[in-house]
Amino acid sequence: MTTDAAPKAGRREWLGLAVLALPATLVSFDMFVLLLALPQLSADLGASSTQQLWIMDMYGFMVGGFLVTMGTLGDRIGRRKLLLIGAAVFGAASLLAAFSTSPEMLIAARALLGISGATLAPSTLALISNMFRDPKQMGMAIGIWAGCFSIGAIVGPIAGGAMLSTFWWGSVFLLGVPVMLVLLVVGGKVLPEYKAPQAGRLDLPSVALSLAAVLPFIYGLKEIARQGFSALPVAAVVVGLAIGVLFVRRQHALKDPLLDLSLFKNKSLSGALVSLLVFSMLGGASLLFLGQFFQLVTDLTPLQAGLALVPGLVVSIAGMSFAPVLARKIRPAYLIASGLLVSLSGYLLFFLVGADSGPAVLMTGFALASLGGGPLVALGTGLVVGSASPEKAGAAASLSQTSNEFGAGLGIAIVGTVGTAVYRDQISENLPAGLPSAAADTVREGLASALTEAAAISGPVGDSLASAAREAFVSGVNAVGATAMVLMALVAVTVLALLRQVPAFGAAQGGGEGPASAPADQQEAEQREADSPVTTATG
């Protein structure tokens, strides 16, 4: 059997991909516009600092908590059905958020957006794996889908800024309504339905254990990133891990588990998941430091700082789009590992940047890191979804997205903590003489606090403090760069070790794992799919 024997997608499938790309664009768009809208909505609703944090974080908490459940639920009740239900709830929750009259109402709306948002990524990815059975086409489709997240990140600050300058803060939430309407109307006509032919019932205790494990774990990571390793966040992480152990034990004991742990026996899936996790960690940490570097070290405005990220986002789209084409001739392991070396060179610039370097150095570093990660994001996501049989594609897709969610939080909590620790150590050693002890404690909290204190003190002491704080912060950026280079090298070795058996997408089948290998159990599943009426497109 060769890849050419796989059925080719036609116009209907590519139109379906365009529909599925809409929610991918909206997710990253929503994140960026909310950051811009937060000052206005906080003033209008009278949101406290704690409420502002919940407004920002509630969406991510719910997405992370429900991804595994929603991925498996789609396999059981139908992926198109779950996607359309999620789209309807997302549209309604967007209206609720836009016209919220209190912080509590907006937090509740954000929770609904997160729960419904958890249906979008696994359902769309699983549907793509059903619609594009040819490995070449599936690789291209997933590359396009992944690139839409970067498109949303580019358009979000520009369109959001324009809307906020003309309309009230709620208008940014209304943008999700027409997108979901298009998905509901067009998606119902062009998207195929698929559910596992012999799906078991949903195990509600496993759902509860999943939420009880994920939610405190994510909460702990976010709080550690904000306030360091204090008792409550660390306890939340420990509780989450302990309940996670109980969740795993229950899955082993169930005939129809919520999450089939046998998926992790596939080296392609496991290797891709670990690599995506680490790459997301570094992306989350680097963005945290980039924003501060551009605004507080090189004195860019918030808009200019956002625009400084655009070149990196643009080349990431190019990396994701061209990787599936190159993967027709080059084995994914070699292509991904080569890209990671490009990312490593980008983080080398993080390691070498100085306080007087200007924004161009880190703009280039971010662009190289993003470009080099394109093959991993596009091909790695494809390997995760393609390594599972059609019945488990939704569960596999949820693992891919969960890896990204956890990676961003882990990166800020772990890699970000490394940079923060270096900053605090450096600034403690270089505090100017005559600085009050209370001011010294404030300065150690971070660069923004240090510059505020420096402006209040003014004079030679203030100038000396500002210079020392910027130097200390850049030392933290250098530490993040060094950590990232080590991790990138380790991930490249991991990819070569675990994914080298995956053939190029255009190669003849000769065994191995991944989307190009079509194992026997997948062929049997495809035959069952062909015999099942719910796998065909319905109008």
Side-chain angles (χ1 to χ4, degrees), residues 147 150-151 153-155 307-322 366-367 370-371:
S150 295
I151 293 175
I154 294 171
V155 176
L307 293 175
L309 299 176
V310 169
L313 297 171
V314 170
V315 297
S316 73
I317 297 172
M320 294 175 198
S321 300
F322 287 110
F366 178 63
S370 301
L371 175 65

Side-chain angles (χ1 to χ4, degrees), residues 133-148:
R133 308 313 296 267
D134 175 70
K136 298 177 183 178
Q137 290 187 323
M138 186 170 79
M140 180 61 70
I142 290 178
I144 293 171
W145 176 86
C148 287

Side-chain angles (χ1 to χ4, degrees), residues 475-497:
S475 294
V477 174
N478 300 152
V480 169
T483 304
M485 286 192 292
V486 172
L487 291 176
M488 282 289 97
L490 291 175
V491 172
V493 172
T494 300
V495 166
L496 291 173

Side-chain angles (χ1 to χ4, degrees), residues 47-410:
S48 66
S49 58
T50 300
Q51 289 171 329
Q52 291 177 43
L53 291 177
W54 280 109
I55 290 169
M56 288 296 302
D57 290 342
M58 183 57 76
Y59 179 86
F61 285 160
M62 293 296 103
V63 169
F66 279 92
L67 271 172
V68 171
T69 298
M70 294 304 182
T72 305
L73 183 62
D75 292 340
R76 284 170 163 76
I77 71 171
R79 292 160 189 165
R80 183 183 67 177
K81 181 178 181 180
L82 182 63
L83 176 66
L84 297 182
I85 291 173
V89 175
F90 196 98
S94 296
L95 285 171
L96 184 65
F99 295 102
S100 292
T101 56
S102 69
E104 293 80 8
M105 184 176 176
L106 182 54
I107 291 169
R110 293 283 291 166
L112 282 176
L113 284 169
I115 295 171
S116 56
T119 69
L120 301 179
S123 295
T124 53
L125 266 178
L127 283 170
I128 288 173
S129 73
N130 296 140
M131 295 158 57
F132 298 90
R133 308 313 296 267
D134 175 70
K136 298 177 183 178
Q137 290 187 323
M138 186 170 79
M140 180 61 70
I142 290 178
I144 293 171
W145 176 86
C148 287
F149 287 93
S150 295
I151 293 175
I154 294 171
V155 176
I158 299 172
M163 293 194 68
L164 289 169
S165 64
T166 306
F167 306 105
W168 94 112
W169 59 265
S171 63
V172 299
F173 291 106
L174 293 179
L175 292 171
V177 177
V179 171
M180 292 301 121
L181 284 176
V182 172
L183 179 56
L184 284 168
V185 175
V186 183
K189 296 180 180 295
V190 303
L191 296 176
E193 181 58 289
Y194 180 89
K195 65 180 179 180
Q198 296 178 329
R201 68 182 185 86
L202 191 68
D203 182 59
L204 294 181
S206 291
V207 173
L209 285 173
S210 172
L211 292 173
V214 172
L215 293 179
F217 186 79
I218 295 177
Y219 167 80
L221 289 180
K222 286 181 175 289
E223 290 304 303
I224 288 171
R226 289 194 187 108
Q227 57 184 277
F229 288 91
S230 55
L232 181 59
V234 171
V237 170
V238 172
V239 168
L241 290 173
I243 298 176
V245 172
L246 296 178
F247 172 80
V248 169
R249 292 181 63 180
R250 182 171 181 83
Q251 303 318 293
H252 280 302
L254 291 174
K255 180 182 177 182
D256 296 309
L258 179 69
L259 178 61
D260 186 355
L261 300 178
S262 66
L263 289 171
F264 293 98
K265 295 179 181 179
N266 186 300
K267 290 191 294 184
S268 296
L269 183 144
S270 297
L273 277 179
V274 170
S275 302
L276 287 168
L277 175 72
V278 176
F279 187 77
S280 296
M281 285 176 58
L282 298 178
S286 62
L287 282 173
L288 175 67
F289 282 83
L290 274 174
Q292 295 180 75
F293 180 89
F294 287 146
Q295 294 184 63
L296 303 179
V297 178
T298 63
D299 293 324
L300 297 183
T301 66
L303 177 58
Q304 289 171 332
L307 293 175
L309 299 176
V310 169
L313 297 171
V314 170
V315 297
S316 73
I317 297 172
M320 294 175 198
S321 300
F322 287 110
V325 178
L326 296 175
R328 298 174 186 178
K329 300 293 184 182
I330 305 171
R331 282 179 177 259
Y334 302 138
L335 189 57
I336 292 172
S338 299
L340 293 175
L341 293 179
V342 175
S343 290
L344 190 153
S345 70
Y347 286 115
L348 175 62
L349 295 179
F350 279 67
F351 176 68
L352 297 175
V353 71
D356 56 351
S357 296
V361 175
L362 286 194
M363 285 177 63
T364 304
F366 178 63
L368 289 172
S370 301
L371 175 65
L376 171 59
V377 175
L379 303 182
T381 303
L383 287 170
V384 170
V385 178
S387 295
S389 62
E391 293 94 335
K392 301 174 183 177
S398 72
L399 291 176
S400 171
Q401 296 306 301
T402 301
S403 177
N404 291 333
E405 285 288 329
F406 280 171
L410 281 170

